Amino acid sequence: MAATIQLRRQRSSDMRIFGIAGHSGMGKTTLLEHLIPEFQLRGIAVSLIKHSHKEFDIDRPGKDSYRLREAGCSELMLVGRRRWVLMHELCDDSEPSLPYLLSKMQGCDLVLIEGFKQGNFPKLEVWRAAVGKSHLCLSLPDVAAIASDSDIAIPGMPLLALSDISGITDFITKHAAKSADVLIVEEPNLRKKAS
């Protein structure tokens, strides 16, 4: 059983990690919007990795940074008074692994992960009957509990009320894994994707 999160905010190997999983439309982002402030109230610095299967761009056409990326920069760092961001163009390269991405995180106690369902770290499945999808916990071995708005029973699977933000925060704090347990730093797979 994982130890409770202790405030460290040092090396990436000291961070704890915990996943939020569920089919699209289950309310993962809404749950995270409630959990993050609860962790902050407890003095736990939280970061998040969100995987997207869709194409996205955080930049806007016409902006200098966009134009420079379009001109061919493989990486571009945009720095302002309140935040900075590093954009890395994958081009035809494969996505980097979760351990590689975790090695880039810093200054936090806990990294919440939305996506990377197959990763070897504990996860909370968000499940709502109204969406009409199957349970991920039946096929994913690392689901540690289900948060639901329904009274469901799956043998051996703890059930948390989706509205119990404090209880879910307690559960994550207690069961988060050490990032070092999955943080086998590896370079991103730079092999070209199969055509």
Side-chain angles (χ1 to χ4, degrees), residues 101-181:
L101 294 172
L102 284 167
S103 75
K104 302 302 180 190
M105 302 299 275
Q106 55 186 305
C108 66
D109 304 306
L110 173 66
V111 178
L112 295 173
I113 301 167
E114 185 179 340
F116 294 95
K117 288 185 264 192
Q118 302 300 326
N120 65 330
F121 52 89
K123 299 165 196 67
L124 176 73
E125 178 180 354
V126 179
W127 190 85
R128 293 186 304 124
V131 177
K133 300 275 186 168
S134 62
H135 292 282
L136 293 176
C137 67
L138 301 175
S139 60
L140 293 179
D142 292 310
V143 173
I146 297 175
S148 180
D149 58 358
S150 303
D151 190 22
I152 56 172
I154 296 179
M157 186 62 56
L159 176 65
L160 306 170
L162 197 50
S163 60
D164 183 8
I165 300 305
S166 180
I168 293 171
T169 303
D170 289 341
F171 186 88
I172 291 172
T173 301
K174 183 176 180 181
H175 293 90
K178 292 180 181 179
S179 63
D181 293 344

Side-chain angles (χ1 to χ4, degrees), residues 65-77 86-93 190:
S65 53
Y66 185 92
R67 291 170 51 207
L68 295 169
R69 282 180 38 240
E70 289 294 309
C73 286
S74 60
E75 287 190 323
L76 184 134
M77 185 177 289
L86 174 63
M87 293 177 269
H88 179 95
E89 299 298 320
L90 289 175
C91 300
D92 291 329
D93 295 341
L190 298 179

